[in-house]
Amino acid sequence: MIVTVRSLAEKYGVTINNAIEALANNGLIVLSVDSEILGQKLDRYERVIQSLVIDPIEKQKRMLSRDYVIFTYMALRKPITAKIIWETLEVHFSRHTKTKIVVCEESIQYVIKAANNHVKLQKTVKYLQDLKEHQMLTILPGRISEENHAISSFIKTRNLSDSILIVGVNRSLSTFVHFRNKNNQNNRSYITIFERDVDAKGFLVDIRKQRVAFANPQDKEPAPYSDKPTNLKGSIPTEKQNVYCKKSNEWVPVLLEEEIARGGEAIVYKIPLKNKCAKIFNAKSNSELKKQKILIMCSKYGLLKGIDPPIMERISWPEKLLFNEQGEFVGYIMSFFKDTTPFSDFAYDTFEEIIPGVRKEHQVTMAVNFAELIDFMHHNNIILCDINRKNILFDKNQMAYLVDLDSAQIADSNYYYPSNVGIPEFLSPEHIYARDFSFKRKKADDVWILQMLLFHMLTPDGDPYDSDKQVDDDREYTAKGYYPYQAGNKSAEKAIRGTPWHMIVSHFPKFVKEMFWNSFHGDGKYFHEADRKPAIVWLNTMVHYQECLPDMIKTDAESGKYMPTAYRKYVQKNKVDITGGSLEDLMKKFGSSGAGNKDWDDIN
């Protein structure tokens, strides 16, 4: 985005006239507030304008005087946001601004529900209810699982000259804001949309400065703890027995009620704590390495919740260690998500049973919400390693949840804590012939699984390597990238043509087809690890699909169907582009922050 006097004034919350006057006092004459500032001048111009911002409270008040202040669910879940709401009202009445406060209907309902368990949220609820009663809220319809879409649709109906502030992180919405700001950067009447997080003291902060929970594992050695089974002196508690957690140096008993799930490493039990459960490891899976890793994960639970409360409500993160009567580690407490369905239950013939009246918009919403979780994990240097169909859950609104997180690879300031589990069919081309999962994981390995599962969600449950090529070992399909579907001028393999999945892929936007082809095909630009696109780009891609889907349906209703019965209609190039454009066009919109991999050293 080009930098001008206007954009610098907006950035630092000062008026254009004050900026021009300050620059003139420093010998800098402004001929046009919209001319690009280049070279060494930029640093000087920015210092002068920044010097006008002395009082952070005044700066915040100017930010809150924008035409629209939109509060996301993430912001509303922070108790300190009540202060921001009150401050917005104070500015509105004292300075006679046109400010309108905007929230999503279902976000209000979710906050009211959360306030039943969190007393500190009751002030926020009172403000929202009072504002609603006095018709001082602009309330947007729609489900909370599609909050990003509801807000972006609202912004699309505003004038380009309307000033907008979004309070609270919404990772999917940020994609839309980035597109809108970038596409209008040369429009002199356009006012940049600002996104701000809320810090612990009630100040608005740049979301790009959001904290990171874990260290980057790239250059670290493995943690010096044994992964051999621990020889316990005591027994492993089971159903109707107590486990213990420490609270203020006291041992607190926790009853293991009935068994609710069982896997190769552990058994999950219901416990008396509301919406919580206990994971108890079997003897073979309990080790000193496991204990130390989960101890660190528990210590970061509060920080992760502070970074993004709503996201962490969808992640079953280790919260407290559990011990047997001898004080030996046996498991941990985590969230339990009721009324959800594991993605392993979804298949082409079961989608309609799980989601009555399922349409393409439901599948795309699933994809957006799933990609959002992986992006958040990767932002915090958490490599999940064992992403599989059973560990991803969806509720009735297609909101995604992650469980079984103790298999993740994390790092502290000294070591990384490896994972030795995974799903063979989801191994990336670099590791498809590996005999075990002892190799050091990279985010690129997670991204490979992410794109596989996104394909399963959208097709539905189609196989990206359902090729007709003859091989001696099925792993060769992945190793050589025998992706059989069409994209651009690349035709589908003969065996795929005429199948329901070939027809479904024909209804993908052009950039989605090309993204899958370039990521899965051996000749694709993003097939190899070093070139693989990070999770944020996949999130951007799915959000852009969500944005252009309504226009696609207008020109071809089949594009909105779960299982279309005809191929996508041809759209003439001189007509409005409703397919989202090419992948190249999409990457140009991403800009340097998302299109390339120049920051792979930080995200691998």
Side-chain angles (χ1 to χ4, degrees), residues 297-314:
M297 294 176 80
C298 289
S299 72
K300 297 289 187 178
Y301 176 63
L303 174 57
L304 286 166
K305 281 191 70 176
I307 292 173
D308 197 326
I311 285 282
M312 285 304 294
E313 289 178 353
R314 296 158 51 198

Side-chain angles (χ1 to χ4, degrees), residues 271-465:
I271 59 176
L273 298 175
K274 187 177 180 181
N275 297 326
K276 303 293 180 184
C277 59
K279 182 172 183 178
I280 306 299
F281 294 104
N282 59 38
K284 293 181 180 180
S285 302
N286 193 346
S287 67
E288 184 63 18
L289 178 64
K290 177 83 72 176
K291 174 186 174 181
Q292 293 299 327
K293 180 166 73 169
I294 294 176
L295 178 63
I296 293 172
M297 294 176 80
C298 289
S299 72
K300 297 289 187 178
Y301 176 63
L303 174 57
L304 286 166
K305 281 191 70 176
I307 292 173
D308 197 326
I311 285 282
M312 285 304 294
E313 289 178 353
R314 296 158 51 198
I315 294 174
S316 191
W317 190 261
E319 298 178 26
K320 289 183 178 293
L321 297 184
L322 293 173
F323 303 85
N324 63 12
E325 288 186 340
Q326 281 68 37
E328 298 169 309
F329 168 74
V330 293
Y332 63 90
I333 292 175
M334 60 184 182
S335 292
F336 173 68
F337 304 124
K338 61 181 181 179
D339 301 324
T340 57
T341 304
F343 187 56
S344 56
D345 288 359
F346 286 79
Y348 77 94
D349 56 348
T350 61
F351 260 84
E352 293 177 292
E353 296 176 14
I354 300 169
I355 309 175
V358 63
R359 292 180 55 78
K360 183 57 67 178
E361 64 190 69
H362 297 118
Q363 296 169 268
V364 176
T365 297
M366 290 172 68
V368 168
N369 290 330
F370 171 54
E372 184 179 50
L373 294 180
I374 306 303
D375 175 51
F376 177 74
M377 292 284 98
H378 283 190
H379 167 79
N380 286 287
N381 287 321
I382 301 163
I383 302 175
L384 293 168
C385 304
D386 188 25
I387 315 172
N388 63 66
R389 294 179 181 88
K390 292 183 179 180
N391 293 347
I392 308 161
L393 313 177
F394 289 96
D395 65 17
K396 63 180 181 180
N397 292 322
Q398 294 80 58
M399 190 68 87
Y401 301 79
L402 290 178
V403 299
D404 206 12
L405 274 294
D406 59 82
S407 298
Q409 179 182 286
I410 59 170
D412 59 20
S413 57
N414 299 310
Y415 306 105
Y416 82 90
Y417 294 75
S419 174
N420 60 358
V421 296
I423 303 296
E425 68 177 287
F426 286 161
L427 283 169
S428 60
E430 299 80 29
H431 302 292
I432 191 64
Y433 293 111
R435 295 183 178 181
D436 56 34
F437 293 91
S438 60
F439 55 91
K440 187 176 183 179
R441 311 299 177 89
K442 295 183 178 181
K443 290 179 183 176
D445 296 309
D446 268 7
V447 169
W448 181 265
I449 306 173
L450 166 64
Q451 62 196 39
M452 292 277 286
L453 289 169
L454 290 175
F455 191 86
H456 288 309
M457 290 174 194
L458 297 176
T459 41
D461 207 25
D463 183 356
Y465 287 120

Side-chain angles (χ1 to χ4, degrees), residues 58-72:
E58 174 60 24
K59 178 183 177 182
Q60 179 146 316
K61 287 182 176 180
R62 292 179 181 180
M63 187 75 73
L64 293 174
S65 66
R66 291 196 146 209
D67 297 330
Y68 298 95
V69 178
I70 303 172
F71 288 91
T72 68

Side-chain angles (χ1 to χ4, degrees), residues 72 76 108 171 189 219 228 242 271 326 331 410 445 475 509 546 579:
T72 68
L76 296 175
I108 299 175
R171 312 188 85 80
S189 66
D219 299 322
K228 294 181 180 179
N242 282 333
I271 59 176
Q326 281 68 37
I410 59 170
D445 296 309
R475 292 176 293 183
Q546 189 179 51
T579 63

Side-chain angles (χ1 to χ4, degrees), residues 484-493 517-518 521 523:
Y485 293 94
Q486 69 273 28
N489 60 359
K490 311 292 193 304
S491 300
E493 291 182 3
W517 193 94
N518 279 287
H521 199 281
D523 294 331

Side-chain angles (χ1 to χ4, degrees), residues 151-163:
I151 295 174
S152 65
S153 297
F154 171 77
I155 292 174
K156 285 179 182 178
T157 64
R158 304 303 99 194
N159 296 322
L160 293 179
S161 57
D162 288 338
S163 57

